[in-house]
Amino acid sequence: MNTIKVNYNNMLSRVLGSQGITDKQIESIVPALQQARLNVENNRGQGMQGWMDSPYNQDKAVQDILKTAKDVQSRCDAFVVLGIGGSALGATALFNAFKHLYYNELPRKTRKYPRLYVIDNVDPERMNALFDVIDVENTVFNVITKSGSTSETMSQYLIITDILERKLGAKAKDNIIATTSASKGNLIKLAKEKGYTTFYIDEGVGGRFSVLSPVGLLPAAVIGIDIAKLLEGAREMDEKCKNAEVMQNPALVSAGLQYIAMKQGKNISVMMPYADSLKYFADWYAQLWAESLGKEVDKNGKLVNAGQTPVKALGVTDQHSQVQLYNEGPFDKVITFIEVKNFRSDVTIPNGCKEYPNVNFLCGHSLSELINNELFATRYNLTRRGRMNYTIEMDEINECNIGALIELLQLQTAYAGELLNIDAYNQPGVEGGKDATYALFGRVGYEDKAAEMEKAPADDNNYII
């Protein structure tokens, strides 16, 4: 059973004073919150809300994933994910959450499973660096793109298949696994033509909501993460969030508080886990929150320029880089802390420096005490200064808790989209950049975009120094 709880005391006026949210403000949006939950529930499994079925409908997929993972584990030293955005961030977050923080540097007999690399960019130096640390003949590549036309991923695919086919010939297909749409796009056609092992992304599951689909589950299974437990935790949280009582539904109440905060000008959302293992959950959350809620128009076509800018931070590291701003800068932020009460290992600070009392006071305490006391102190100091913050608490990092955390944040995002009356599942701002890139490369069908770009004013050299 998961232990995820949302502690939102430090969002409220009874704690923060004039900067906090009043009971009256919460009561005023209860009807909107109930309608938001109802809208999300009524569309469960429909359109782009197929992700809501992911914790429930993947028994067969899980069996196939585990079978493939066992095969990969038996015959390769490295597993490489080729993807970008939602096709990469979830896998990275899960990898970092569960595996040794220097996992890829451990000997095989210690780590037991293949090394994992997630290549989510097209920086040529990064691609070449990968080839310096893997043997491509002893590596399985998981190409992930639902459309099969993602320029970054398909360019990586072309590079890898060229190398593999030159080295392995017809056997190259054994080193590639495709994760894509079952019915459309280029990758499914290539997979069928070349005979790749293939996993499917449901048409109603968008990239940023895909971590609990084969997109995230296959890489997780290959490195020994219990994906059945991940889904179990997600189910538990989903069932909890079916509660129509606003104050008993953690995703709904947190969405409501963020919505009120946005209306008060809190247009920055800081995600700050106090555990290195959860560092990349802030990256995953940043895409989920930004791409879902950052919309120019609402569902009625009204110009709204909605959204809240996500910022990634890590406790305690960013106490020494960002927290000064959070304490004394503009009142434009909501800080979400993630607290882990019990770490999987600990270190006791040994006795020493007796002649220096301002150092010696630490002796005999543990690093887990230090990190959690620093979280408490940071939270306390922000609160006494009237800065909105709330904490997602868990007793430990395990698959059930992380599955629940994923579902909590996905549901919070869906509810927030309803409150803002925007489409949380489209991404027209992303598509504009994609179209411009296609035009620059002379892709057929983008001639009008190329002509439009030709008319753009050139940079003035007077302003380049």
Side-chain angles (χ1 to χ4, degrees):
M1 179 176 290
N2 79 77
T3 63
I4 297 287
K5 293 182 179 178
V6 176
N7 179 351
Y8 58 91
N9 277 277
N10 296 342
M11 296 289 287
L12 304 177
S13 61
R14 68 178 190 80
V15 175
L16 294 181
S18 62
Q19 289 293 329
I21 295 170
T22 66
D23 290 343
K24 186 175 180 181
Q25 285 176 298
I26 296 173
E27 289 166 7
S28 72
I29 67 163
V30 164
L33 286 166
Q34 291 172 332
Q35 188 62 52
R37 190 201 67 82
L38 191 60
N39 290 349
V40 170
E41 277 301 313
N42 286 344
N43 287 301
R44 177 180 289 270
Q46 300 178 39
M48 292 307 297
Q49 283 185 215
W51 61 272
M52 295 186 73
D53 288 339
S54 295
Y56 300 96
N57 66 356
Q58 296 191 93
D59 289 350
K60 176 62 165 60
V62 166
Q63 291 177 16
D64 292 343
I65 286 168
L66 292 176
K67 181 179 177 181
T68 298
K70 188 174 182 180
D71 173 63
V72 170
Q73 292 160 1
S74 71
R75 63 185 177 86
C76 80
D77 177 64
F79 187 81
V80 176
V81 171
L82 304 177
I84 196 165
S87 297
L89 290 168
T92 300
L94 292 175
F95 173 42
N96 197 67
F98 293 112
K99 307 312 289 186
H100 190 288
L101 293 173
Y102 298 101
Y103 173 84
N104 283 343
E105 297 174 34
L106 296 172
R108 178 65 185 248
K109 66 179 181 180
T110 302
R111 57 181 158 83
K112 300 180 182 178
Y113 304 103
R115 291 178 291 149
L116 176 68
Y117 299 94
V118 180
I119 309 302
D120 64 347
N121 208 342
V122 288
D123 184 322
E125 294 184 19
R126 184 170 181 181
M127 181 60 79
N128 282 322
L130 175 68
F131 297 137
D132 289 335
V133 296
I134 65 167
D135 171 9
V136 293
E137 296 181 48
N138 197 24
T139 300
V140 170
F141 297 86
N142 184 197
V143 187
I144 306 175
T145 163
K146 186 175 174 182
S147 69
S149 61
T150 307
S151 297
E152 298 87 355
T153 305
M154 294 311 291
S155 67
Q156 295 169 339
Y157 166 81
L158 289 166
I159 292 164
I160 294 300
T161 52
D162 178 65
I163 295 171
L164 286 174
E165 287 174 359
R166 282 191 281 111
K167 287 180 174 290
L168 299 175
K171 293 183 178 179
K173 69 178 181 62
D174 298 331
N175 289 51
I176 295 176
I177 298 172
T179 304
T180 189
S181 166
S183 59
K184 58 187 178 182
N186 300 319
L187 187 54
I188 186 59
K189 296 173 185 174
L190 287 164
K192 289 178 178 178
E193 174 189 326
K194 295 180 177 286
Y196 301 148
T197 297
T198 307
F199 290 93
Y200 301 116
I201 308 169
D202 188 280
E203 292 305 316
V205 177
R208 56 189 176 273
F209 290 89
S210 69
V211 63
L212 295 177
S213 78
V215 170
L217 297 180
L218 175 61
V222 166
I223 55 174
I225 295 170
D226 189 336
I227 60 175
K229 286 288 186 183
L230 277 174
L231 294 172
E232 178 185 326
R235 284 194 299 274
E236 289 178 1
M237 181 57 69
D238 185 69
E239 292 297 332
K240 188 172 185 178
C241 293
K242 289 178 181 177
N243 196 325
E245 290 295 325
V246 171
M247 311 314 286
Q248 300 300 317
N249 183 327
L252 190 58
V253 71
S254 57
L257 293 169
Q258 286 278 28
Y259 173 73
I260 295 171
M262 286 184 236
K263 295 299 182 183
Q264 293 181 350
K266 308 294 192 294
N267 59 3
I268 296 172
S269 176
V270 179
M271 174 66 78
M272 194 169 186
Y274 269 69
D276 271 29
S277 54
L278 298 181
K279 176 180 180 179
Y280 290 101
F281 262 89
D283 291 63
W284 171 78
Y285 165 81
Q287 184 201 11
L288 179 70
W289 200 245
E291 209 165 67
S292 298
L293 302 187
K295 299 297 158 63
E296 184 175 51
V297 298
D298 67 11
K299 293 178 181 179
N300 301 319
K302 179 183 175 183
L303 183 67
V304 291
N305 297 118
Q308 194 182 40
T309 302
V311 171
K312 302 174 288 186
L314 177 66
V316 297
T317 299
D318 288 311
Q319 287 177 206
H320 297 269
S321 65
Q322 298 181 32
V323 167
Q324 169 63 33
L325 172 67
Y326 302 165
N327 273 295
E328 297 189 4
F331 284 85
D332 59 356
K333 302 169 191 70
V334 176
I335 295 109
T336 305
F337 295 109
I338 304 181
E339 178 183 11
V340 179
K341 296 183 184 297
N342 301 298
F343 287 78
R344 289 167 289 198
S345 66
D346 208 350
V347 178
T348 299
I349 302 167
N351 196 32
C353 296
K354 292 182 180 179
E355 66 275 32
Y356 302 108
N358 60 349
V359 175
N360 185 256
F361 78 95
L362 294 166
C363 298
H365 296 285
S366 67
L367 290 185
S368 66
E369 284 182 87
L370 181 58
I371 195 170
N372 280 331
N373 279 342
E374 292 211 41
L375 165 57
F376 183 89
T378 301
R379 190 167 54 198
Y380 167 79
N381 201 42
L382 286 164
T383 302
R384 78 179 184 86
R385 290 173 174 271
R387 310 294 171 144
M388 284 189 179
N389 65 89
Y390 70 98
T391 304
I392 300 172
E393 304 172 350
M394 66 178 77
D395 64 349
E396 64 181 9
I397 295 171
N398 59 40
E399 285 91 345
C400 203
N401 280 339
I402 294 302
L405 176 65
I406 290 167
E407 193 71 4
L408 171 72
L409 294 173
Q410 290 184 152
L411 286 166
Q412 180 197 51
T413 302
Y415 296 147
E418 289 298 320
L419 291 168
L420 292 167
N421 192 36
I422 52 92
D423 184 343
Y425 305 103
N426 66 359
Q427 51 188 52
V430 176
E431 299 306 322
K434 287 182 179 180
D435 291 348
T437 301
Y438 298 152
L440 288 170
F441 278 98
R443 180 175 165 181
V444 174
Y446 292 84
E447 294 82 4
D448 289 347
K449 176 60 72 173
E452 173 196 316
M453 294 175 70
E454 283 287 331
K455 296 175 184 176
D459 289 338
D460 187 331
N461 286 331
N462 289 318
Y463 302 101
I464 302 174
I465 58 174

